[in-house]
Amino acid sequence: MSAEVIRIERATTNSKLFAHTRWDAIPALSGLFHLAYFIGLFFLYPHAPLWVMLILGFIYSLMVNANVNGVGHNFIHNPFFRSQTLNRIFGVTQSIACCFSQTMYDAVHMQHHKGNSDHRDEKGDTVDWLSIYRHGHDGEAENPWRYVFLSFFRDDVGAIRRELRKRNNGDLFWGNLELAAFATTLFVMFLFNWRYVIFYFLPFWYLGHCFSYLNGYYRHYGANPDKPIAWGVSSYGRIYNWLFFYNGYHAEHHFRPKVHWTKMEKFHQSIEEMQKQEGVRTIRRAHMLGFLDPDLPRRGERGQQVEGAEPSISG
């Protein structure tokens, strides 16, 4: 592949606050709005009708999905602020809003990019902890609904901590701090209103992360783990990509993970012909609705095709 064709345009700014572009104020404020929404639900719960709270809880679940795969995802690859302290503080706010550790998510996501939803090796393992093939059989992707509803319980916190410890840069401390921050927040909420936490919040929190795994499944189902340019599946709907800060351009993202979200559309245009030649899969709907795609291959069909494919060189 020509180096000129895949040249990446970097986002730059003279801002003293933002590291890449002032446009990052939008995902940053979106993340803070999610935190405010999370806190607001707790205070609204005793006063609003049940039907209102059910709608708001479902919206929170959707927000978890959008935050993890939009705000939090872009923050991992291109931290928003010049100040490391501000980035750490923002990571804590993200952790409380989504009730997970942003720094530990960073470790899991970097492992995801090392394996790119790879097939199981001769030992039955995958490099990518999130690979849709990790718990599949006979070289096929796992059943999507098993992946969606069980992945939440599969995180190996010990392995994640070992990965953070290797970095030797304070990430392990901050990961533990973020865990403590959201756990303490939930504990205080529990002390004041245990019914809210047990019967209302936890189900919608779990549902939100299931939505996130559903999104992740169809970002890779039908992709080719043997071709770097085809490691992901893309969806180009405008509204979807505005809400998820261009994570719909997922084949492009896996091909060049450091491309800033504001440059993703232009990058796609620069490699579009290569993608067509290499058979990069695209779907018409948002990834979370990928199971509705009319051209969805049956499990096993795509796997048989990619097993016989020749790996390409990304350049």
Side-chain angles (χ1 to χ4, degrees):
M1 293 185 183
S2 168
E4 177 64 25
V5 173
I6 60 173
R7 183 171 54 87
I8 300 170
E9 181 181 352
R10 302 290 184 184
T12 58
T13 180
N14 60 3
S15 170
K16 294 182 179 179
L17 177 62
F18 295 101
H20 305 284
T21 170
R22 290 179 174 86
W23 284 107
D24 277 336
I26 299 176
L29 289 173
S30 298
L32 294 177
F33 174 75
H34 188 194
L35 175 64
Y37 189 96
F38 163 72
I39 296 172
L41 282 178
F42 175 74
F43 289 104
L44 187 61
Y45 180 79
H47 309 290
L50 178 60
W51 68 269
V52 171
M53 292 306 301
L54 291 176
I55 293 173
L56 294 178
F58 186 74
I59 291 173
Y60 173 78
S61 298
L62 295 175
M63 289 174 70
V64 168
N65 180 24
N67 193 333
V68 171
N69 293 290
V71 178
H73 175 257
N74 280 292
F75 183 66
I76 286 173
H77 290 284
N78 294 293
F80 302 151
F81 306 105
R82 291 192 184 276
S83 166
Q84 178 69 355
T85 301
L86 275 182
N87 284 324
R88 292 297 194 185
I89 292 172
F90 184 76
V92 174
T93 67
Q94 282 288 102
S95 301
I96 296 173
C98 295
C99 288
F100 78 154
S101 166
Q102 174 70 28
T103 303
M104 292 188 175
Y105 170 34
D106 185 316
V108 173
H109 191 69
M110 288 300 99
Q111 196 71 21
H112 173 57
H113 277 280
K114 290 177 184 177
N116 297 288
S117 203
D118 53 328
H119 287 288
R120 297 166 69 182
D121 59 22
E122 61 277 3
K123 297 180 180 179
D125 201 4
T126 59
V127 175
D128 177 6
W129 296 333
L130 298 176
S131 175
I132 62 176
Y133 299 99
R134 188 176 181 86
H135 298 278
H137 301 283
D138 301 321
E140 295 186 15
E142 183 178 12
N143 177 282
W145 305 114
R146 282 180 55 85
Y147 183 88
V148 167
F149 292 114
L150 296 181
S151 290
F152 179 85
F153 305 102
R154 290 171 173 167
D155 280 341
D156 185 340
V157 178
I160 295 171
R161 284 184 167 135
R162 286 193 294 273
E163 193 64 31
L164 292 179
R165 188 176 290 110
K166 291 178 187 176
R167 298 181 178 184
N168 197 30
N169 62 356
D171 277 3
L172 180 59
F173 168 81
W174 283 94
N176 289 330
L177 179 66
E178 290 163 355
L179 285 180
F182 84 73
T184 300
T185 302
L186 285 182
F187 181 67
V188 171
M189 288 181 172
F190 180 86
L191 291 179
F192 281 94
N193 193 335
W194 65 271
R195 290 181 178 84
Y196 167 83
V197 173
I198 299 297
F199 297 114
Y200 178 79
F201 177 75
L202 290 182
F204 282 116
W205 172 55
Y206 169 68
L207 180 63
H209 286 278
C210 287
F211 283 156
S212 179
Y213 286 115
L214 179 60
N215 212 327
Y217 187 92
Y218 287 103
R219 286 199 303 256
H220 290 279
Y221 182 73
N224 189 335
D226 297 319
K227 288 187 177 182
I229 199 170
W231 274 334
V233 175
S234 288
S235 176
Y236 300 122
R238 284 193 175 274
I239 295 177
Y240 167 50
N241 279 289
W242 288 342
L243 291 174
F244 282 73
F245 297 101
Y246 286 81
N247 198 17
Y249 287 67
H250 210 67
E252 294 80 358
H253 171 66
H254 271 267
F255 190 43
R256 290 294 183 270
K258 291 298 288 184
V259 174
H260 193 271
W261 64 272
T262 58
K263 304 295 182 182
M264 192 61 74
E265 193 168 8
K266 188 173 182 180
F267 178 63
H268 162 67
Q269 293 169 358
S270 72
I271 64 170
E272 188 172 8
E273 288 306 314
M274 287 184 194
Q275 290 180 311
K276 290 178 180 178
Q277 293 170 12
E278 296 291 343
V280 173
R281 179 169 169 73
T282 62
I283 57 177
R284 303 176 190 178
R285 294 173 172 83
H287 288 103
M288 196 174 84
L289 301 176
F291 57 91
L292 297 176
D293 191 76
D295 300 321
L296 198 67
R298 292 183 178 180
R299 282 191 304 129
E301 289 181 355
R302 181 69 174 180
Q304 292 169 4
Q305 294 174 19
V306 300
E307 282 178 6
E310 291 293 329
S312 67
I313 300 174
S314 60

